[in-house]
Amino acid sequence: MSTLQGNVLVAQGGGPTAVINQSLVGAVLESRKFPNVDRVYGAQHGVRGVVNEDFLDLTETTVNNLEAVANTPSSAMCSTRDKPDVDYCQDIFRVCQAHNVRFFFYIGGNDSADTCRIVHEESAKAGYDLRVIHVPKTIDNDLKVTDHCPGYGSAARFVAQAFAGANLDNRALPGVYIAVVMGRHAGFLTAAAALARRYEDDGPHLIYLPERPLSKEQFVGDLKAAYDKHGRCVVAVSEGVSDPSGQAIASQFTGGEKDAHGNIQLSGTGALGDLLSSWVRNETNIKRVRADTFGYLQRSFLGCVSEVDQREARDVGEKAAHFAVSQNKSGSVAIRRVGDYAVEYFLAELKDVARESVEVPGHFINDAGNDVTDAFIKYARPLAGELPDFARISAPAVPKVLNK
Amino acid sequence: MSTLQGNVLVAQGGGPTAVINQSLVGAVLESRKFPNVDRVYGAQHGVRGVVNEDFLDLTETTVNNLEAVANTPSSAMCSTRDKPDVDYCQDIFRVCQAHNVRFFFYIGGNDSADTCRIVHEESAKAGYDLRVIHVPKTIDNDLKVTDHCPGYGSAARFVAQAFAGANLDNRALPGVYIAVVMGRHAGFLTAAAALARRYEDDGPHLIYLPERPLSKEQFVGDLKAAYDKHGRCVVAVSEGVSDPSGQAIASQFTGGEKDAHGNIQLSGTGALGDLLSSWVRNETNIKRVRADTFGYLQRSFLGCVSEVDQREARDVGEKAAHFAVSQNKSGSVAIRRVGDYAVEYFLAELKDVARESVEVPGHFINDAGNDVTDAFIKYARPLAGELPDFARISAPAVPKVLNK
């Protein structure tokens, strides 16, 4: 096995997560240990920083600083929504060549994996020896091949803690509470609301994912039934939930802002929650109706992290160094579940992870399309970790005296 | 000093907080120690549960259960928005009489203090010996007399952690981020966003409280200036922020739902955030504009509690038992700050705390009306506690090679 000698370049792309800096720091610290690595660079603002040569020399960052950064949410090297085409990737490869970068690690989702794939192909075509590793990251948990994605567990934990609290609030002051959760095409994060339940009648009582169409009739009907049963109702809805025609329900309200990938912006607005509230107000006699949109808190809130997620995010960063620097390979780091709960890491082909994404599989969704199954709970609970403890009062009733 | 012998009744009113059950459990456990207390009852759903005699016998609740409840957010005995008039309070007093309740503790805000005041007066008029204690609780921090209110510190901590994370997210993917914080008339909770800052250019860059009018012109002007300076802008806005005519800006968008007190509902909708976003979109060239509304998470999120707040909430519950059961007094438990940081508790007159509320004092708000002062930071930081650590990367820049 020939050994490449040169520099490492690491960058972070797409939406931040609570643990994305664990991957960064894992990759940096592990890379610095290998004698065939000269310098470890970090590009600012992802691939845009690569083509602009906006690099920091992470060889000269203290371990204390890096460890503090590792525990900090949101991409410390800053990020970008740029989705490079072949020309852009050729620029990336040329910058790598100019800086004798032999190992390029890109922490991101399926678009970032695709960037890695193209950069790897273009450098190979040009005969430049460059090892490219995609390090998985997304709160959406929608990457192919891997069992789950670093970043998801912490976001799932936030969603679960939020619903656990909202359920207690709704129990104290009964009514309808609707919360909109991130997830354009994949409902994994919304599904994590189910982890909030402890007592049998705990909310969320209804969970709607983008994988199943949702009509106004179903929504109002389900909600009335749950409200009649519990005297209250807590609902989790994915921002990407679609009507039976396949149109995202939120898309009609966002003023048409589109992101760099041409997708209609769903987050950063309370419109979907307010629409669903209006359905309840107009179609039922329920008076107290509230809607929240969890928004950016679910991916960046300071101080809500799953320990398993934190550890795995660190590990996939370290494995990037092992696979590229030590084993001279390119690919996408992936997670395989090998126990309850245990994982191991392996290297997937870049082409198998790039571009396409996955949705919540059918056996994780109940037949009515308004809840998740126990199989999902079993899948997700170890990723989010056990929630903080909470309890109801257990006490006997006092006999009435006046009985008015 | 004569000693009353009889039962204790405790109830929780108004909006939940993260630590309201500490006060409940403090009152219950401390009351159970006194030989002149026969039974300790808890009313379900506040004063409504009192008049309906919906009591649990908390004399027969295990310490383990109570301690678990103490660490659970949101009113474990459930709450109510009922604001009793004199007739209602006479019903309360009659129920107390029927159950030989001699000590009534009501955990709540200024409305709950007013209920305590009336119940106390009516029982005195009727010659029934009843000690009534108001136990302070509100995330709004707007009670008179007391230095601050249990519940505020934890909500402030949530807001600070949320803005710390949102600021890091906004730094990674620059744009405008607006978040709407609870607080109808008092801006204490919104002001706590300032606790999120560590580095000099950290957001929130602008903070708007209901204590100062806000025009569209000022908002857009301030925002442009901050955006030009930082290349991004994070804004904290109170849900109760008003235009120069004194009209709550949010009030025109909420479909007119009013709460039991006749107040227009401001929370549970994303309308204000979306309106402010539209101002930025329409009046500037800034492309990436996002608005979140923190909603109910800020008062009930599971797992975000200030230790100081938790301790003080417990203390004011225990002090209720000391003042009423041991010292035979009625009143409102209040906090006096006696050090940096240290407090002591005292009993205020019910009439001095009832009904009216306070606003953020002038010396806590900057002259431009778009930020808080250092005096506020000094006041609020010990209440919210030190935030989880976070850091930026400290590393030298790498010289460019291609310089394209």
Side-chain angles (χ1 to χ4, degrees), chain B residues 159-403:
Chain B
V159 167
Q161 289 184 202
F163 271 97
N167 171 67
L168 291 162
D169 195 302
N170 181 261
R171 188 170 172 267
L173 288 170
V176 168
Y177 178 80
I178 301 163
V180 177
V181 181
M182 276 187 173
R184 179 182 298 274
H185 300 298
F188 287 102
L189 193 54
T190 306
L195 302 175
R197 299 173 186 145
R198 170 170 296 185
Y199 296 87
E200 205 180 346
D201 60 344
D202 271 342
H205 307 99
L206 297 167
I207 299 176
Y208 297 106
L209 311 183
E211 284 80 2
R212 294 286 180 272
L214 178 62
S215 67
K216 184 174 172 178
E217 291 63 38
Q218 184 190 356
F219 183 79
V220 173
D222 286 353
L223 192 138
K224 271 184 179 168
Y227 191 88
D228 286 347
K229 183 173 176 186
H230 300 295
R232 64 191 188 90
C233 187
V234 176
V235 188
V237 183
S238 168
E239 63 178 6
V241 76
S242 296
D243 64 26
S245 77
Q247 173 90 354
I249 296 174
S251 64
Q252 47 190 304
F253 295 93
T254 54
E257 188 184 341
K258 292 187 179 183
D259 66 20
H261 305 184
N263 297 319
I264 292 166
Q265 183 226 323
L266 299 180
S267 298
T269 164
L272 176 60
D274 288 348
L275 173 72
L276 298 174
S277 285
S278 76
W279 287 1
V280 180
R281 271 190 246 273
N282 296 337
E283 306 287 329
T284 75
N285 295 319
I286 302 167
K287 281 183 184 145
R288 191 169 188 276
V289 185
R290 302 287 186 272
D292 279 340
T293 304
F294 288 170
Y296 291 87
L297 303 192
Q298 58 205 312
R299 73 182 191 193
S300 317
F301 188 78
L302 178 70
C304 181
V305 170
S306 150
E307 281 180 27
V308 163
D309 189 33
Q310 198 167 31
R311 196 164 61 230
E312 293 179 350
R314 181 69 162 239
D315 285 351
V316 294
E318 293 186 10
K319 292 312 291 181
H322 299 164
F323 287 126
V325 178
S326 178
Q327 298 183 31
N328 207 22
K329 290 175 182 166
S330 294
S332 175
V333 182
I335 302 174
R336 184 182 293 127
R337 195 181 297 227
V338 295
D340 184 18
Y341 176 79
V343 298
E344 61 184 24
Y345 304 98
F346 65 102
L347 195 65
E349 300 264 352
L350 286 169
K351 67 174 169 51
D352 292 342
V353 180
R355 280 175 302 190
E356 290 170 22
S357 59
V358 299
E359 297 182 348
V360 176
H363 69 284
F364 283 174
I365 308 173
N366 75 344
D367 291 341
N370 60 15
D371 204 343
V372 298
T373 61
D374 288 346
F376 171 78
I377 302 281
K378 188 172 187 314
Y379 165 82
R381 199 186 290 282
L383 311 183
E386 286 301 318
L387 298 198
D389 200 25
F390 61 99
R392 294 183 185 175
I393 285 180
S394 175
V398 176
K400 296 190 183 196
V401 175
L402 298 176
N403 258 316

Side-chain angles (χ1 to χ4, degrees), chain B residues 44-258:
Chain B
Q44 303 197 74
H45 288 290
V47 285
R48 189 145 46 88
V50 177
V51 296
N52 293 335
E53 299 177 274
D54 284 333
F55 296 171
L56 297 181
D57 188 348
L58 304 181
T59 330
E60 298 187 15
T61 303
T62 66
V63 173
N64 278 330
N65 179 238
L66 285 173
E67 290 297 354
V69 166
N71 286 311
T72 300
S74 187
S75 322
M77 290 303 305
C78 298
S79 193
T80 179
R81 288 290 184 188
D82 283 4
K83 187 182 174 182
D85 56 15
V86 171
D87 285 350
Y88 198 123
C89 288
Q90 285 175 344
D91 284 343
I92 292 174
F93 139 65
R94 286 188 199 109
V95 169
C96 287
Q97 197 168 26
H99 286 268
N100 195 34
V101 168
R102 295 293 178 171
F103 314 102
F104 174 47
F105 306 151
Y106 201 25
I107 308 167
N110 54 326
D111 288 338
S112 302
D114 200 37
T115 298
C116 290
R117 179 187 65 79
I118 305 173
V119 170
H120 185 247
E121 284 176 9
E122 295 304 313
S123 62
K125 277 186 203 164
Y128 180 73
D129 265 338
L130 179 68
R131 302 294 163 261
V132 182
I133 303 278
H134 167 246
V135 181
K137 170 276 337 172
T138 166
I139 64 167
D140 292 330
N141 201 40
D142 62 351
L143 292 182
K144 287 168 67 185
V145 184
T146 191
D147 177 77
H148 59 276
C149 306
Y152 171 65
S154 296
R157 185 178 185 81
F158 180 92
V159 167
Q161 289 184 202
F163 271 97
N167 171 67
L168 291 162
D169 195 302
N170 181 261
R171 188 170 172 267
L173 288 170
V176 168
Y177 178 80
I178 301 163
V180 177
V181 181
M182 276 187 173
R184 179 182 298 274
H185 300 298
F188 287 102
L189 193 54
T190 306
L195 302 175
R197 299 173 186 145
R198 170 170 296 185
Y199 296 87
E200 205 180 346
D201 60 344
D202 271 342
H205 307 99
L206 297 167
I207 299 176
Y208 297 106
L209 311 183
E211 284 80 2
R212 294 286 180 272
L214 178 62
S215 67
K216 184 174 172 178
E217 291 63 38
Q218 184 190 356
F219 183 79
V220 173
D222 286 353
L223 192 138
K224 271 184 179 168
Y227 191 88
D228 286 347
K229 183 173 176 186
H230 300 295
R232 64 191 188 90
C233 187
V234 176
V235 188
V237 183
S238 168
E239 63 178 6
V241 76
S242 296
D243 64 26
S245 77
Q247 173 90 354
I249 296 174
S251 64
Q252 47 190 304
F253 295 93
T254 54
E257 188 184 341
K258 292 187 179 183

Side-chain angles (χ1 to χ4, degrees), chain A residues 330-353:
Chain A
S330 295
S332 175
V333 182
I335 302 174
R336 183 182 294 128
R337 196 182 296 226
V338 295
D340 184 19
Y341 176 79
V343 297
E344 61 183 24
Y345 304 98
F346 65 103
L347 196 65
E349 300 264 349
L350 286 169
K351 67 175 170 52
D352 293 341
V353 179

Side-chain angles (χ1 to χ4, degrees), chain A residues 49-350:
Chain A
V50 177
V51 297
N52 292 335
E53 298 177 274
D54 283 333
F55 296 171
L56 296 181
D57 188 348
L58 304 180
T59 330
E60 298 187 16
T61 303
T62 66
V63 173
N64 277 330
N65 179 239
L66 285 173
E67 291 296 354
V69 166
N71 286 311
T72 300
S74 186
S75 324
M77 290 303 305
C78 298
S79 193
T80 179
R81 288 290 184 188
D82 284 3
K83 186 181 174 182
D85 56 13
V86 170
D87 285 351
Y88 197 122
C89 288
Q90 285 176 344
D91 284 344
I92 293 174
F93 139 66
R94 285 188 199 109
V95 169
C96 287
Q97 197 168 26
H99 286 268
N100 194 33
V101 169
R102 295 293 180 172
F103 313 102
F104 174 48
F105 306 150
Y106 201 26
I107 308 166
N110 55 326
D111 286 339
S112 302
D114 200 38
T115 298
C116 289
R117 180 187 64 80
I118 304 173
V119 170
H120 184 247
E121 284 177 9
E122 295 304 313
S123 61
K125 277 186 205 164
Y128 180 73
D129 265 336
L130 179 68
R131 303 293 163 260
V132 182
I133 303 279
H134 167 245
V135 181
K137 171 275 336 171
T138 167
I139 64 166
D140 293 330
N141 201 40
D142 63 351
L143 292 182
K144 287 169 66 186
V145 184
T146 191
D147 176 77
H148 58 277
C149 307
Y152 171 65
S154 295
R157 185 179 186 82
F158 180 92
V159 168
Q161 291 185 202
F163 272 97
N167 171 67
L168 292 162
D169 195 302
N170 182 260
R171 188 170 172 267
L173 289 169
V176 168
Y177 178 79
I178 302 163
V180 177
V181 181
M182 277 186 173
R184 178 182 299 273
H185 299 299
F188 287 102
L189 193 54
T190 306
L195 301 175
R197 299 174 187 144
R198 169 170 298 188
Y199 297 87
E200 206 179 346
D201 60 344
D202 272 342
H205 307 99
L206 298 168
I207 299 176
Y208 296 106
L209 311 182
E211 285 79 1
R212 294 287 180 274
L214 178 63
S215 67
K216 184 175 173 179
E217 291 64 37
Q218 184 191 356
F219 183 79
V220 173
D222 287 353
L223 192 137
K224 272 184 180 169
Y227 191 89
D228 287 346
K229 184 174 177 186
H230 300 295
R232 63 191 188 92
C233 187
V234 175
V235 188
V237 183
S238 168
E239 63 178 6
V241 76
S242 296
D243 65 26
S245 78
Q247 172 91 354
I249 296 174
S251 65
Q252 47 190 304
F253 295 94
T254 54
E257 187 183 342
K258 292 187 179 183
D259 67 19
H261 305 185
N263 297 320
I264 292 166
Q265 183 226 324
L266 299 180
S267 300
T269 165
L272 176 60
D274 288 350
L275 173 71
L276 298 174
S277 285
S278 75
W279 286 1
V280 181
R281 271 190 244 274
N282 296 337
E283 307 286 330
T284 75
N285 294 319
I286 302 167
K287 280 180 184 149
R288 190 168 190 276
V289 184
R290 302 286 185 272
D292 279 341
T293 304
F294 289 170
Y296 291 87
L297 304 191
Q298 58 205 312
R299 73 181 193 196
S300 316
F301 188 78
L302 178 69
C304 182
V305 170
S306 150
E307 281 181 28
V308 162
D309 189 33
Q310 198 166 31
R311 195 165 63 230
E312 292 178 352
R314 181 70 161 239
D315 284 351
V316 294
E318 293 186 11
K319 292 313 291 181
H322 300 165
F323 286 126
V325 178
S326 178
Q327 298 183 30
N328 208 22
K329 291 175 181 166
S330 295
S332 175
V333 182
I335 302 174
R336 183 182 294 128
R337 196 182 296 226
V338 295
D340 184 19
Y341 176 79
V343 297
E344 61 183 24
Y345 304 98
F346 65 103
L347 196 65
E349 300 264 349
L350 286 169

